[in-house]
């Protein structure tokens, strides 16, 4: 009976799941089943069902399914809805189909709070409507990569799941503005949304979302090329509690939108404007004047930024820990001088393709408070003016764990060896052009390594 119940709830391919933790526990479950197959086993007599339920509540999906095969009583306990408040099928099985989701929905009912179906491409609107109807108290749902779902799913969530806090519909290519309009109408408590790579969503959907979900704290729209300054300005006006915004690749965004974000959303901690090539120093200055809690700034590919913008940031944003400045081609050593002075918590810094950076800038960085205590990752790929002198300066960075030096033509093996002598645990990634082979003599042929060297 236990096996039959389990099979109804989970597709047969689960039994071939190649999970190392499952294989490690398999022997234990076999031994346990011998002990507990008898309904009068000591563990069932000694421990009340409430305590067994409590123990089961700590198990993952695979472990619960294994326990359900031990005995009739354990089957009932393991499949009790109270044990299925959080479900993540990504590490378990992403080829599940609709009936499995429907079985889970009926069993979990009002207990289910979080479910991740990311990558489950066979799941469609019908099974998710059942989920919404049965699991009215769901707060977190991840549908990233569920390419079969349409606006109908969001409409179901809007109708039945009024307590929804987080929705991820990234890479759901059939979703349009109607989804955000539905969510804005029915889920006023939403705090997090991811619409990355949803080509069907425009400024109209985002404006509807902003009006209906004023509690929004996280907005992610990577690769949404139809995102506009007007949409982000509306978001800034109505969602003043924003802490995280990711506009990676939204290359139509202009300074006006960022300035409104800075003026209205003073709690911003994480900002990604990577490849928003229209932005200028004006937006960095605005952030420096209002967003003092900024922790992460990713602006790779923002080629109009200069030392002026980063000087402003360094004067007020002292909590910065991660900065990605790759391809900010106009910044010079002056930026590093000011970051060294004003950002003592800096842990990650990317300066790849910042071709004006020299050894002097690295020297300033290496003598800063962040270098001696926090700096863990430094990326200097394609910085042609960096020499071995920079590596000598970095000896003072006692917490440095990784440094990237691809295509730094003035870096030598000897310089890297000196650095590793002082910091033997550091990972240095460098590239050295292959040696030009000498003229071949006879049939002998010398082989040369043409791959990257991780030293």
């Amino acid at each position: 009976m236990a096996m039959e119940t389990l099979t109804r709830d989970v597709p047969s391919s689960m039994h071939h799941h190649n999970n190392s933790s499952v294989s490690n526990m398999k022997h234990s479950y076999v031994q346990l089943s011998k002990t507990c197959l008898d309904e009068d086993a000591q563990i069932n007599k000694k421990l009340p069902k409430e305590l067994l339920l409590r123990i089961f509540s700590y198990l993952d999906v695979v472990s619960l399914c294994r326990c359900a095969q031990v005995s009739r009583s354990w089957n009932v306990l393991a499949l009790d809805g109270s044990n299925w408040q959080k479900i993540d099928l990504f590490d378990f099985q992403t080829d599940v189909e609709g009936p499995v989701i429907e079985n889970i929905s009926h069993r979990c009912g009002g207990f289910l709070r979080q479910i991740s179906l990311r990558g489950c491409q066979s799941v469609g609107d019908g099974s998710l409507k059942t989920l919404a109807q049965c699991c009215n108290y769901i707060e977190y749902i991840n549908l990233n990569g569920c390419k079969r779902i349409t606006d109908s799913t969001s409409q179901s969530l809007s109708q039945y799941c009024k307590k929804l806090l987080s929705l991820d519909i990234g890479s759901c290519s059939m979703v349009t503005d109607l989804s955000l309009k539905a969510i804005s109408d029915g889920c006023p408590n939403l705090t997090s949304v991811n619409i990355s790579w949803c080509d069907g969503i425009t400024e109209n959907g985002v404006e509807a979302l902003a009006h209906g979900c004023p509690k929004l704290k996280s907005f992610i729209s990577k690769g949404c090329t139809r995102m506009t300054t007007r949409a982000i300005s509306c978001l800034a006006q109505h969602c003043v509690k924003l802490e995280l915004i990711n506009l990676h690749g939204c290359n139509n965004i202009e300074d006006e939108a960022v300035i409104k974000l800075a003026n209205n959303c003073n709690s911003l901690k994480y900002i990604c404007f990577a490849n928003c090539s229209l932005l200028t120093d004006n937006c960095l200055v605005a952030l420096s004047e209002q967003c003092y809690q900024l922790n992460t700034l990713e602006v790779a590919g923002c080629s109009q930024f200069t030392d002026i913008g980063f000087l402003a940031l360094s004067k007020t944003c002292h909590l910065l820990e991660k900065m990605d400045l790759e391809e900010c081609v106009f910044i010079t050593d002056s930026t590093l001088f000011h970051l060294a002075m004003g950002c003592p918590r800096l842990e990650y810094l990317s300066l790849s393709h910042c071709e004006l950076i020299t050894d002097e800038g690295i020297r300033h960085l290496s003598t800063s408070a962040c270098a001696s205590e926090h700096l863990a990752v430094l990326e200097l790929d394609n910085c042609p003016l960096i020499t071995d002198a920079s590596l000598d300066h970095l000896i003072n960075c006692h917490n440095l764990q990784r440094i990237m030096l691809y295509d730094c033509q003035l870096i030598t093996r000897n310089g890297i060896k000196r650095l590793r002598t002082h910091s033997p645990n550091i990972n240095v990634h460098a590239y050295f052009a292959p040696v030009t082979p000498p003229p071949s003599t006879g049939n002998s042929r010398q082989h040369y390594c043409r791959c990257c060297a991780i030293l």
Side-chain angles (χ1 to χ4, degrees), residues 188-192 210 212-218 238-239 241-242:
N189 295 315
L190 196 72
T191 60
S192 175
C213 302
K215 297 180 182 180
L216 208 60
K217 292 184 178 181
S218 173
H238 297 282
C239 303
K241 296 182 179 181
L242 273 176

Side-chain angles (χ1 to χ4, degrees), residues 320-321 343-348 368-377 397-401:
L320 277 166
E321 295 180 0
C343 302
R345 298 189 180 188
L346 207 56
E347 297 179 4
Y348 171 101
S368 66
C370 74
S372 59
E373 298 180 18
H374 299 289
L375 190 65
V377 178
C397 300
H398 306 300
N399 198 46
L400 196 61
Q401 299 171 18

Side-chain angles (χ1 to χ4, degrees), residues 44-258:
N44 295 326
K45 288 182 177 180
K46 297 291 185 181
L47 297 181
K49 291 182 178 179
E50 292 79 10
L51 184 54
L52 283 171
L53 270 176
R54 179 68 172 173
I55 295 171
F56 284 178
S57 70
Y58 292 97
L59 300 180
D60 59 20
V61 173
V62 175
S63 301
L64 284 169
C65 290
R66 293 283 183 181
C67 286
Q69 299 177 64
V70 171
S71 67
R72 289 184 179 86
S73 59
W74 276 36
N75 179 276
V76 173
L77 292 171
L79 299 183
D80 188 273
S82 63
N83 293 321
W84 297 72
Q85 297 183 42
K86 299 179 182 180
I87 300 174
D88 187 346
L89 295 184
F90 187 77
D91 295 325
F92 170 52
Q93 184 172 342
T94 58
D95 59 347
V96 297
E97 296 182 353
V100 176
I101 304 303
E102 292 167 16
N103 286 336
I104 289 175
S105 303
H106 289 300
R107 184 170 68 246
C108 296
F111 288 109
L112 187 64
R113 294 294 185 274
Q114 300 182 21
I115 186 167
S116 177
L117 303 177
R118 59 190 176 120
C120 296
Q121 298 193 35
S122 298
V123 175
D125 294 325
S127 55
L128 287 172
K129 182 176 182 179
T130 301
L131 177 73
Q133 289 174 327
C134 296
C135 307
N136 303 139
Y137 292 93
I138 195 165
E139 297 174 351
Y140 169 99
I141 184 164
N142 187 338
L143 303 174
N144 198 299
C146 296
K147 298 185 182 298
R148 290 185 58 191
I149 71 167
T150 70
D151 295 323
S152 177
T153 287
S154 295
Q155 290 164 352
S156 296
L157 293 171
S158 171
Q159 183 177 356
Y160 299 107
C161 303
K162 304 298 183 181
K163 296 183 179 297
L164 190 65
L165 299 177
S166 177
L167 174 65
D168 187 339
I169 49 175
S171 299
C172 295
S173 54
M174 299 174 69
V175 162
T176 73
D177 289 335
L178 293 178
S179 283
L180 295 191
K181 179 64 169 63
I183 294 299
S184 70
D185 290 339
C187 305
N189 295 315
L190 196 72
T191 60
S192 175
V193 65
N194 183 358
I195 56 171
S196 298
W197 315 109
C198 292
D199 297 333
I201 291 180
T202 71
E203 62 182 15
N204 296 327
V206 176
E207 288 181 18
L209 182 75
H211 284 286
C213 302
K215 297 180 182 180
L216 208 60
K217 292 184 178 181
S218 173
F219 179 79
I220 303 174
S221 62
K222 295 183 290 184
C224 293
T225 56
R226 302 173 71 181
M227 201 60 54
T228 64
T229 294
R230 174 182 158 188
I232 302 305
S233 297
C234 185
L235 200 68
Q237 180 180 351
H238 297 282
C239 303
V240 297
K241 296 182 179 181
L242 273 176
E243 296 180 2
L244 181 155
I245 187 163
N246 190 329
L247 303 177
H248 187 134
C250 300
N251 50 20
N252 292 316
I253 304 301
E254 299 172 307
D255 287 342
E256 177 188 348
V258 181

